Amino acid sequence: MKANLFSKDITTDKPLNVTPGEPISEYAAVIGVSDDPRVIDAGRRFSAAIDGGFVSDFEKSEHQVRLGHADQPDKMAHVSTFIVIDGFVYMTYYANTKEPSEDPKNQTARLVWAPLSDLDNKTYLDVQASGDSVDGHMIDMVYDTILMRWDENTIYVMWTARTDGNYYRFIRPFDTRIKQFGDIKVNRFKVGEVTNDFSSSGIRSALAANGIPCKTMYSDIGIMQKLTSRVEEGAPCYYTGAYSGDFNCIIKSRDLVTWEYVSQPDFPNESKWENAVYIKNDKCYYFVRQQDGCPYGFLTVYDLESRVWSKPVGIADCQSRSDFIEYHDGLYLFHAPVDRRHIGIVRIDTDDIANSKVVLQAEMSTGCFYPFVQYYQDGELAMSYTVDRKHIRLARFRLSDYLG
């Protein structure tokens, strides 16, 4: 294990400007729950397609125990990310093997991989578990776990864990050729000239030192799994979202290790937890859930050249995690319009987000928590999602079947 894994925060005497959330005063448009028969019919067909397109479950199940691929089944599993590389599918999530609840004190960050030709032949690798020791520090909580592809042969597994009362974002490379992990590192968070560990305290200190306001942070910290990029100063720069409690922002990175603060919506809003981010044509499309009493999440755009935020569009949402995907040159938002048993798809009008339209709203046959959409095979998509915090499921579908 690398020595001095953690660094001391660069602190300041400046107080952190904590700003309260406030309701959005005016939306550019509102997209509600649709009663359009075409939207409802498309939703029925999508739900059936997801059932019919079932690929595999990726949690440690009794089936995997019987096959000898797992020592004991997972009693809880949640928050998935997947990618297909050279005939293998890789999946991350966090699990509780001790009892059937989402309790970070009993959770494990995990990577699973299997050949597409034999998806029952899964390999389970625990990345870090509560109770582990890292650089002499005991991990007492583990939370959101994602993966990002770095180069042809490397993916990074990234997760949240707490030690010494402070949540950190950790990162660990995995070589897809030899199927082995490298050393654990701590992500870094940069604001202006200040670079701290990507931790609860490090984020607060870096923002305070630069006089940047921050909504209330609480509980764990997170990085969103969807990665998009643009060329800046002649090299790729990768973008995603970061969050903790009511604080949400755009971040970017050159190496996926150090993440730089970009911006956060500058209008009053009631944002909370996960924010979906997608870069297209020098614009950052941004959707975030709001407080539980609000009927809408909000969609907005941050222009990376002019540094101006657009007027937000309200989209009916049960306040769950969402995701963007670009498909056939169109940009689509996947979200939960009614509850976590529904999937909604909105086509984003990239000329004027106020003209975005609902593609479908589907009541699924099972729970469908936190969908993550990615390319699978033959230029078509698959979606990973959580079923009732019991299954990490992957299903294929053709989005073109619903676009008319």
Side-chain angles (χ1 to χ4, degrees):
M1 183 61 61
K2 182 180 177 181
N4 302 319
L5 190 66
F6 302 92
S7 63
K8 188 175 181 180
D9 289 344
I10 297 173
T11 59
T12 177
D13 292 333
K14 298 178 182 178
L16 178 62
N17 179 14
V18 179
T19 57
E22 299 178 19
I24 292 174
S25 59
E26 184 179 3
Y27 292 101
V30 170
I31 298 172
V33 176
S34 177
D35 59 2
D36 185 330
R38 293 171 297 181
V39 169
I40 295 170
D41 177 66
R44 290 194 190 101
R45 291 187 288 114
F46 180 77
S47 179
I50 292 298
D51 289 343
F54 172 78
V55 173
S56 187
D57 285 332
F58 282 79
E59 75 281 357
K60 282 186 178 181
S61 63
E62 293 285 1
H63 175 63
Q64 291 299 319
V65 172
R66 288 194 298 271
L67 289 176
H69 297 155
D71 51 358
Q72 59 181 327
D74 291 331
K75 295 180 174 61
M76 187 284 306
H78 197 23
V79 183
S80 62
T81 311
F82 77 95
I83 193 168
V84 173
I85 302 174
D86 296 334
F88 289 86
V89 59
Y90 300 86
M91 181 79 73
T92 56
Y93 61 95
Y94 61 85
N96 188 333
T97 60
K98 298 179 181 179
E99 38 91 21
S101 69
E102 187 177 354
D103 184 349
K105 294 178 181 178
N106 291 326
Q107 288 172 180
T108 299
R110 182 172 296 144
L111 171 69
V112 185
W113 58 271
L116 294 175
S117 59
D118 185 10
L119 286 167
D120 254 355
N121 186 18
K122 294 182 174 68
T123 299
Y124 295 86
L125 299 176
D126 290 350
V127 187
Q128 188 179 83
S130 293
D132 287 355
S133 179
V134 177
D135 197 24
H137 298 255
M138 198 273 284
I139 299 297
D140 64 3
M141 291 187 181
V142 171
Y143 237 126
D144 283 15
T145 305
I146 65 172
L147 64 80
M148 291 180 175
R149 187 173 188 176
W150 171 238
D151 59 25
E152 183 178 354
N153 303 309
T154 308
I155 59 176
Y156 282 128
V157 178
M158 306 162 71
W159 69 99
T160 301
R162 194 182 76 169
T163 184
D164 302 327
N166 201 13
Y167 273 109
Y168 289 83
R169 288 297 301 190
F170 290 94
I171 181 169
R172 193 174 190 183
F174 181 80
D175 190 316
T176 59
R177 295 166 301 179
I178 60 175
K179 304 293 190 290
Q180 289 185 3
F181 277 116
D183 291 338
I184 294 174
K185 298 180 181 179
V186 174
N187 280 115
R188 307 276 280 161
F189 187 82
K190 183 176 187 292
V191 188
E193 300 301 315
V194 175
T195 303
N196 286 335
D197 284 348
F198 204 127
S199 67
S200 299
S201 64
I203 293 170
R204 291 187 181 99
S205 295
L207 292 173
N210 286 271
I212 294 174
C214 175
K215 285 186 174 181
T216 303
M217 291 175 57
Y218 49 89
S219 189
D220 62 313
I221 57 177
I223 296 176
M224 291 297 285
Q225 59 264 66
K226 183 56 60 70
L227 198 65
T228 50
S229 67
R230 70 195 287 257
V231 174
E232 296 180 4
E233 298 177 354
C237 198
Y238 303 94
Y239 281 75
T240 190
Y243 56 89
S244 175
D246 297 346
F247 171 67
N248 339 86
C249 69
I250 303 167
I251 54 175
K252 66 179 182 179
S253 178
R254 298 267 185 207
D255 59 7
L256 307 188
V257 177
T258 298
W259 292 90
E260 182 177 353
Y261 171 88
V262 176
S263 187
Q264 59 187 304
D266 59 1
F267 48 82
N269 64 78
E270 294 185 295
S271 65
K272 180 180 180 181
W273 294 123
E274 301 94 343
N275 51 343
V277 166
Y278 200 96
I279 302 298
K280 183 176 173 65
N281 298 331
D282 296 329
K283 292 182 178 180
C284 182
Y285 294 84
Y286 186 100
F287 182 81
V288 64
R289 59 199 282 190
Q290 296 196 80
Q291 299 296 323
D292 293 343
C294 181
Y296 308 113
F298 68 84
L299 171 71
T300 182
V301 182
Y302 181 64
D303 190 307
L304 294 165
E305 297 296 328
S306 67
R307 301 182 181 181
V308 172
W309 286 91
S310 71
K311 191 174 183 179
V313 170
I315 298 181
D317 197 82
C318 75
Q319 311 312 349
S320 188
R321 180 179 292 209
S322 304
D323 191 26
F324 288 109
I325 192 71
E326 194 169 359
Y327 179 84
H328 293 184
D329 296 324
L331 182 62
Y332 298 87
L333 172 71
F334 282 65
H335 71 115
V338 178
D339 55 31
R340 290 181 177 179
R341 203 181 176 98
H342 283 74
I343 291 289
I345 303 177
V346 175
R347 177 160 186 158
I348 308 302
D349 188 320
T350 54
D351 294 322
D352 182 357
I353 59 171
N355 292 326
S356 300
K357 303 295 182 184
V358 175
V359 173
L360 61 83
Q361 290 174 344
E363 182 175 4
M364 313 302 286
S365 64
T366 68
C368 201
F369 297 7
Y370 287 19
F372 177 74
V373 183
Q374 186 63 281
Y375 280 86
Y376 187 67
Q377 285 181 301
D378 304 321
E380 297 297 339
L381 303 173
M383 181 174 72
S384 64
Y385 55 98
T386 306
V387 180
D388 302 327
R389 293 186 176 86
K390 295 178 180 177
H391 303 288
I392 299 296
R393 186 156 293 174
L394 184 65
R396 303 176 66 170
F397 66 98
R398 288 168 52 92
L399 185 54
S400 57
D401 289 346
Y402 313 98
L403 301 183

